[in-house]
Amino acid sequence: MATATDRPPPARHRASAKPWRASPAAALQAAAWAGGIAVLALWWRDTGSVVGAAGWLTGAGRITGLLCGYMCALLVALMARVPWLESRLGSDRAARWHASAGRWTIGLLLAHILLIVLGYAAQAQVGALRELGTIVFDLPEMLKATAGALILLAVGYTSVRAVRRRMRYETWYHLHLFTYAAVFLGFSHQLAVGADFVSNAPARAAWYTLYVSVACLVLYFRVLIPVRLNLRHRIHVEAVVPEAPGVYSVWMRGRRLDRLDARPGQFLRWRFLTPGMRGASHPYSLSAVPRDDLMRITVKTLGDHSAAVAALRPGTRVWAEGPYGALTAARRSRRKVLLIAGGTGITPLRTLFETLPAAPGDLTLLYRARTPQELALSGELEAVAAARGARLVYVLNNPDGSRVRITAERLRAIVPDVDRHDVYLCGPRGLSLSVYDALRDAGVSASRIHHESFEL
């Protein structure tokens, strides 16, 4: 493991105050619903009278198929990692939307398959299995569509939380990428056999426009932008420094790193180009404001990838994507700010603690850890607190090892006017949920509790 004998000093940087901007979530949801209504209008326009069980089954199959195709486009758009979307919406909310879109897509796909097979079987007056074989092997583009459907179902299965937790992240990540192949394989059958597209040129043009636009988003933001970033900045590992038991900082050197446009509180996705680590990218927050030639992340050894970080050698090339995340000063709406960190949740909050514009006494950092030895970056935090006139409060377990909970009463004891603060929260899921409840009980509005989760 490489170490640094002279740790680079913190960057002398202060984030400029920016006006708070409302989340675009409502507008984006309205646009998505409007697209869904347009799809239903297309079906309604092309559908005459529906007669008998076969007609109803086939009509329902067409509706679910159209909506499934539309959801596939939305699903891939949410995989494009558009920086504007992630910085305004929040990466955790974008991930939740993606997961929700995935569930809808799988549900609609299963309904489409079942309803179309039953409807066609009723029309032909044959058994469902026999009709399924006819559809797959006789209709144009259906073999490719079947392969795409099977891939989507497999990806959906591995995304179930109970299944996903038993898989290595790298395995889940690579399986998830097959979503692109599944959507590509299924696209052509929509136009070849879809009754709403076969004789409707404007509808075909609109469908092509939707899918080509989404493909351009993915190509630009998942391929071209990262290539440009890494060719421009040429990032490599400078040193790995132990910070606490099982916690390591990785200093990275590159060119013009201050032009990454990474704001305090944001993260990048990192791929270390060394055997065993180049296969997948992982999100880690910046734990220091980037300088012209240096930047830093701080990682706790929780899995195979994070454990391997400790063994990185100087000179290892790094592939970065981003920056992402909305846990920034732009979400602030009050003069007073409380930062609450647990474990390595300190990493994004450490940069905010250094850079958030605040008068002496208006900024407080509450850092939860089990023991004093687990307080990563404590020396830097204490130096920042002293220089800025900010408060730094450690919440540790009792001497007998019993856990100290952060309750509404404890929050009011530490920050009596906590209900008049903006609160930034980052930590393990269990801690974040309990502290969120405590903040609400202490009178803090939900709109002023800013948090972001990096869990799968």
Side-chain angles (χ1 to χ4, degrees):
M1 179 183 70
T3 59
T5 54
D6 295 313
R7 179 174 299 185
R12 296 186 180 277
H13 174 88
R14 288 292 179 269
S16 59
K18 295 184 178 180
W20 180 84
R21 296 173 297 177
S23 167
L28 290 171
Q29 288 175 328
W33 277 104
I37 292 171
V39 170
L40 291 176
L42 173 65
W43 172 85
W44 182 267
R45 175 185 178 277
D46 295 335
T47 300
S49 59
V50 179
V51 179
W56 282 104
L57 288 169
T58 304
R62 284 175 51 213
I63 293 175
T64 52
L66 284 169
L67 290 174
C68 180
Y70 175 66
M71 290 304 301
C72 280
L74 293 186
L75 187 69
V76 174
L78 288 168
M79 294 175 69
R81 294 182 189 155
V82 179
W84 175 87
L85 179 66
E86 300 220 357
S87 63
R88 292 290 306 279
L89 190 66
S91 295
D92 55 346
R93 180 180 281 184
R96 289 196 300 271
W97 282 15
H98 173 73
S100 178
R103 289 189 290 270
W104 275 100
T105 302
I106 296 300
L108 289 166
L109 174 63
L110 290 172
H112 171 63
I113 293 170
L114 179 63
L115 291 166
I116 283 293
V117 169
L118 292 177
Y120 282 14
Q123 284 181 341
Q125 297 184 341
V126 298
L129 290 179
R130 180 180 173 182
E131 185 61 29
L132 176 61
T134 300
I135 291 172
V136 171
F137 295 105
D138 293 348
L139 294 183
E141 304 292 341
M142 282 306 304
L143 278 175
K144 290 193 297 184
T146 300
L150 291 174
I151 292 172
L152 270 182
L153 292 174
V155 171
Y157 173 74
T158 59
S159 296
V160 174
R161 186 179 294 272
V163 177
R164 191 174 60 195
R165 285 179 171 173
R166 295 197 297 267
M167 301 177 66
R168 293 180 67 246
Y169 173 80
E170 289 75 12
T171 303
W172 175 86
Y173 176 85
H174 288 112
L175 287 173
H176 218 62
L177 292 178
F178 278 98
T179 302
Y180 296 122
V183 174
F184 173 78
L185 289 169
F187 176 72
S188 57
H189 102 281
Q190 299 175 51
L191 301 178
V193 300
D196 300 282
F197 299 113
V198 171
S199 59
N200 190 334
R204 287 200 307 274
W207 215 243
Y208 269 115
T209 300
L210 174 64
Y211 272 76
V212 170
S213 299
V214 169
C216 288
L217 285 178
V218 172
L219 178 64
Y220 186 73
F221 290 110
R222 293 295 298 266
V223 180
L224 297 181
I225 289 295
V227 167
R228 186 182 69 174
L229 181 154
N230 288 280
L231 289 177
R232 174 187 293 176
H233 297 292
R234 303 281 183 174
I235 306 169
H236 62 271
V237 173
E238 173 77 6
V240 178
V241 180
E243 301 286 2
V247 179
Y248 299 86
S249 282
V250 182
W251 284 98
M252 289 169 280
R253 188 173 294 277
R255 302 183 304 183
R256 302 189 296 275
L257 297 179
D258 54 335
R259 298 185 185 180
L260 272 171
D261 199 27
R263 289 178 286 168
Q266 289 191 304
F267 68 95
L268 287 86
R269 299 189 70 91
W270 307 92
R271 190 189 305 265
F272 298 100
L273 304 184
T274 188
M277 301 184 73
R278 67 177 76 240
S281 61
H282 289 248
Y284 297 122
S285 297
L286 293 168
S287 59
V289 178
R291 295 163 50 181
D292 176 63
D293 60 340
L294 283 172
M295 61 182 173
R296 183 184 70 181
I297 60 174
T298 302
V299 180
K300 184 176 179 63
T301 55
L302 297 173
D304 294 341
H305 187 275
S306 55
V309 166
L312 285 171
R313 295 182 177 277
T316 300
R317 290 295 304 274
V318 181
W319 185 271
E321 299 176 36
Y324 304 118
L327 198 68
T328 66
R331 300 178 74 170
R332 178 183 180 181
S333 61
R334 294 297 179 97
R335 177 173 60 88
K336 295 185 177 184
V337 178
L338 170 63
L339 311 173
I340 304 179
T344 51
I346 190 62
T347 53
L349 300 192
R350 181 251 178 266
T351 58
L352 288 170
F353 192 50
E354 180 187 356
T355 61
L356 273 173
D362 285 348
L363 180 63
T364 302
L365 171 61
L366 191 157
Y367 188 1
R368 174 74 176 93
R370 290 179 295 183
T371 65
Q373 292 73 30
E374 294 184 0
L375 293 168
L377 310 175
S378 57
E380 295 180 22
L381 297 172
E382 290 161 9
V384 170
R388 303 199 63 191
R391 295 184 64 204
L392 174 60
V393 179
Y394 297 138
V395 177
L396 305 173
N397 285 356
N398 292 314
D400 61 0
S402 59
R403 184 177 181 82
V404 173
R405 294 182 64 247
I406 299 177
T407 62
E409 292 72 23
R410 186 176 295 277
L411 287 169
R412 291 193 191 98
I414 297 171
V415 186
D417 58 347
V418 64
D419 58 320
R420 292 190 289 168
H421 282 62
D422 264 309
V423 181
Y424 288 78
L425 171 63
C426 191
R429 177 177 174 81
L431 174 68
S432 296
L433 291 175
S434 65
V435 172
Y436 182 91
D437 290 340
L439 287 166
R440 297 291 288 122
D441 290 342
V444 182
S445 167
S447 64
R448 289 189 281 108
I449 303 174
H450 315 302
H451 56 96
E452 207 159 31
S453 170
F454 304 103
E455 292 193 0
L456 280 177

